[in-house]
Amino acid sequence: MAAEALLASAAAASTAGVGLLRFAWSLPRRSLVLNSLGWAAVFLGCVLAGAHSGAWGISIATMLGMAAALVLLAHAAVASPSSAGPKVSNRRVRMLPEGNEPLHLRRRIITFLIIAMAAPVVSTIIAVGSRVLAMRVGTGEANANVIALAVMPLAWTALSHVLLMQEERSTQVKMLMIWAAIGSLGVILELVG
């Protein structure tokens, strides 16, 4: 009976946390206290659910919190008045050149190739290296595989962000080489040992 009460408390905390966050975000001014209490309630729900049944309990409490968020957002979408305010500005962000300006197509293609081709390869090297390192510290094979599968998209996202922030092409290449060298450490350890 106490176990069911623990899971019910976790679900209630997650749902209440989402409701409190929605209320805090609807106020004209942000409230640090209400936001903190909302996130604390969501966290408490995860802790209680984890104490009840580990990852399974956390997923149950999280799904109930997400269902509450869906209901609250659907209500807000239906209840919100249509905006008949001023028209949106027609300013352009200069993503594409206007008039007779050059396209810089070569530069754009090279940037695409770096982000969409080179960065995923380097991220895969990092993922394989993290798998090897995880196996070296005693992690089971299944867990090491999950670590590698989680690291690859995270590394690709971080690396792409870093690369796109660089203005010089040479700096982008240096960053790719540095990240590839870091990722290769695990692979080299596997080959040597």
Side-chain angles (χ1 to χ4, degrees):
M1 189 69 170
E4 288 81 11
L6 189 62
L7 189 59
S9 299
S14 293
T15 306
V18 168
L20 189 55
L21 285 171
R22 176 67 182 117
F23 173 72
W25 293 342
S26 68
L27 296 175
R29 296 190 61 175
R30 293 290 166 110
S31 169
L32 179 63
V33 173
L34 289 177
N35 278 330
S36 299
L37 287 173
W39 285 115
V42 171
F43 180 71
L44 176 65
C46 288
V47 169
L48 293 174
H52 176 267
S53 54
W56 179 257
I58 292 172
S59 66
I60 298 282
T62 305
M63 285 192 325
L64 290 172
M66 287 189 290
L70 177 66
V71 168
L72 290 171
L73 289 174
H75 175 265
V78 170
S80 67
S82 63
S83 75
K87 286 201 159 211
V88 178
S89 171
N90 194 16
R91 290 182 299 170
R92 297 177 56 117
V93 294
R94 301 200 44 84
M95 192 167 80
L96 293 174
E98 295 181 22
N100 294 331
E101 295 178 12
L103 283 175
H104 300 288
L105 201 53
R106 185 173 143 259
R107 187 186 75 203
R108 292 172 191 263
I109 290 173
I110 291 172
T111 300
F112 172 78
L113 291 175
I114 287 174
I115 301 301
M117 302 296 182
V121 170
V122 171
S123 300
T124 303
I125 292 170
I126 292 170
V128 170
S130 66
R131 182 190 183 282
V132 170
L133 290 175
M135 293 290 290
R136 285 280 177 143
V137 297
T139 305
E141 188 173 352
N143 288 335
N145 289 339
V146 169
I147 287 170
L149 289 172
V151 164
M152 194 279 178
L154 293 174
W156 187 10
T157 302
L159 180 58
S160 297
H161 178 73
V162 168
L163 290 173
L164 288 172
M165 293 298 113
Q166 306 304 320
E167 293 184 14
E168 301 293 325
R169 190 71 67 201
S170 61
T171 310
Q172 288 178 333
V173 172
K174 286 177 192 173
M175 293 303 297
L176 278 172
M177 296 303 201
I178 291 169
W179 283 56
I182 292 170
S184 298
L185 290 176
V187 178
I188 292 168
L189 280 175
E190 180 68 17
L191 294 175
V192 170

